[in-house]
Amino acid sequence: MTRLQYLPQRIDNDRFDVAPLLYAGLLSDDPHTVIDFQGQQLSPQALRQDVAAFQAWLAAEGLEKGDRVAVMLGNSVQHIALIYAIVLSGLVWVPINTKLRGMGLKYILEHSEPTLLMLDDEFAPLFEGAEAPGGRLEGNARVVNVADQDWRVSSRGDAVPPGELTHTPCEVGDTLCLIYTSGTTGAPKGVVFTHRMMRIATEAAIRVADIKAGDRAFLWEPLCHIGGAQMLLMPFLEKVTLLVVERFSASRFWSQWQESRATHLHYLGGVLDILMQLPEDAKPADARIPVAWGAGVSASSWQPIRDRLGCELRECYGMTEGSSFATLNETGKPGSIGRPLPWITLSLLDDNDQPVPVGAAGQIVVESSLEGTLLPGYWKNPEATAKALRNGRLYTGDMARQDADGDLFFIGRASDSMRVRGENVSAWEVERVFADHPCIEMSAAMGVKSAIGEQEIFLYVKFNEGQSVDWAELVEWARPRLAAFQLPRYFMKIDRFDLTPSQRIQKHKLSPDTGTAWDRAAK
């Protein structure tokens, strides 16, 4: 029986939900390696002691079911054990993006109202002075440096009894974590991510990645991102090993990949583009990536990536609000995000909530036959909840089109499109083409007012360090790769982009003034 057929039945059986599954897995005497952290191999028994110690300390601190614990840590065994302890204790995990600083960090910590903020030495300087570790944040959250903490002693100085692994019963609709997602404008929204959603996300990740017993999944993603978080349960559903590294490193990737004997790579944030830009000799001749799964490979890059990296590409689409996954490309059609997963119904709708014809762009709207797939709401944000959830459906704000075969193609955010000479142009599609240029690290396309009517396309370009290209030459390179109405008119070099915590360009900070831009129409 395939996972396609049995996923809903497994999900609907409560004894397989997150906390019971994790509890049973950690109590197992199975010797298989669950976590391999840069060569440190950990079985369930090895992890169990650390998880139990964290649980005992959290209980001694007086935390109760439903209390929120913010965590700002780099990838490590200790970080993973702490997450497991939070989940098993019925607490709510609030992952904090380690790249956050200033007002972005302050906003999430104030908005989520945690009881504790757990961090390590690397991030302690961010809270010096009145908000020093051992002190309290505004809102009365206690700050704990895990590097300094003796887990045998509570913050009050009381001895903490030796821990035993425990399991606080939770309902499937209870909140497991608050995951803050950042758009290009506005404050981040806290997705209320339930126990059921995490179980669905992990099962879906196993299906999307085609994970089987004996596989070894490379986990480089920050655990504050659903891309990494959804992998933490994998070893308790299938006998696989998570090969965890501190962070993605282009210079060390191939040595880490081969030493760990990895089989599966999740691509996120342009990871495959980065690997493709490495010198040819950076990749050992016998190295290959058997399976790469994720989102963002353009049709033009599809075959070159497969040829050079030796991988099967499993492109998908999803968002945190819908338990991470909604579609999967299983046919290998270049550039396609595939078709809906079996428990997902996906519609492409116009501004009047009517289905668009084949080939036309429409907003992706998702519903599910599997109860609990969609978020119950955004934390303390009823307006955003009402906008996203309507009549049992999730309005994603993303645009796609469908071809005559029924395969879907992602276009971009509904708010990130332009109208050029009667045509709708996706900024994402334009940017993906320029991402293929060997001298370009990143670009941002935006619509600016046209003297004739509608809009022209203005492209900001950040070149790779030490590289550049003449604008006219760049236009000629791009001309055969874009429709005429997709070709930018204005070009501007930029030294750095302001990015959101999830590494999206904050386009609202880019000036629409074309006065000093290069204008291809003026040549």
Side-chain angles (χ1 to χ4, degrees), residues 6-88:
Y6 74 71
L7 171 61
Q9 286 78 14
R10 280 177 45 166
I11 289 288
D12 284 339
N13 189 332
D14 283 356
R15 74 185 182 89
F16 284 114
D17 270 307
V18 172
L21 180 74
L22 182 56
Y23 181 67
L26 289 172
L27 284 178
S28 169
D29 291 327
D30 191 321
H32 104 275
T33 299
V34 174
I35 305 292
D36 183 333
F37 179 67
Q38 301 182 158
Q40 180 186 359
Q41 299 184 6
L42 298 163
S43 65
Q45 304 95 295
L47 269 172
R48 187 162 63 224
Q49 185 174 351
D50 286 346
V51 176
F54 274 125
Q55 281 196 281
W57 185 86
L58 291 166
E61 290 295 297
L63 272 73
E64 299 178 350
K65 180 180 177 180
D67 286 345
R68 290 172 294 284
V69 179
V71 179
M72 192 174 188
L73 298 170
N75 286 3
S76 67
V77 172
Q78 190 175 51
H79 189 176
I80 294 171
L82 175 59
I83 294 169
Y84 289 161
I86 290 170
V87 172
L88 286 174

Side-chain angles (χ1 to χ4, degrees), residues 258-422:
Q258 287 199 292
E259 287 169 9
S260 64
R261 295 176 289 113
T263 59
H264 288 65
L265 175 68
H266 182 204
Y267 55 89
L268 184 75
V271 161
L272 295 185
D273 292 332
I274 293 170
L275 294 179
M276 290 292 285
Q277 290 173 7
L278 292 175
E280 290 278 355
D281 59 2
K283 173 183 168 294
D286 60 341
R288 61 183 293 268
I289 300 171
V291 178
W293 56 288
V297 176
S298 65
S300 60
S301 299
W302 196 276
Q303 197 57 44
I305 286 174
R306 291 193 63 192
D307 292 343
R308 183 167 173 186
L309 303 183
C311 59
E312 174 194 356
L313 289 174
R314 295 176 67 83
E315 183 86 355
C316 60
Y317 163 82
M319 60 192 307
T320 306
E321 289 87 336
S323 298
S324 190
F325 296 98
T327 74
L328 170 63
N329 178 347
E330 294 185 278
T331 66
K333 181 179 288 188
S336 173
I337 59 173
R339 302 180 185 186
L341 291 166
W343 57 94
I344 294 293
T345 300
L346 187 150
S347 305
L348 300 181
L349 304 181
D350 63 18
D351 291 340
N352 297 313
D353 263 9
Q354 297 302 307
V356 298
V358 170
Q363 181 180 178
I364 299 173
V365 178
V366 171
E367 54 190 314
S368 178
S369 59
L370 196 56
E371 186 177 355
T373 299
L374 307 182
L375 81 163
Y378 293 106
W379 177 251
K380 296 194 300 185
N381 196 336
E383 295 82 6
T385 299
K387 182 178 179 181
L389 293 174
R390 286 177 265 160
N391 301 316
R393 300 193 292 186
L394 174 63
Y395 285 71
T396 67
D398 289 329
M399 304 292 287
R401 61 181 176 82
Q402 190 173 44
D403 67 13
D405 297 328
D407 293 310
L408 294 157
F409 292 80
F410 182 78
I411 295 175
R413 293 292 294 170
S415 58
D416 198 15
S417 62
M418 299 155 283
R419 185 78 174 173
V420 181
R421 295 192 291 281

Side-chain angles (χ1 to χ4, degrees), residues 107 120 140 181 237 290 315 321 381 404 446 470 488 507 509:
Y107 173 82
D120 59 23
N140 219 32
T181 63
L237 285 165
E315 183 86 355
E321 289 87 336
N381 196 336
M446 58 191 294
D470 180 78
K507 292 189 178 180
K509 293 187 177 182

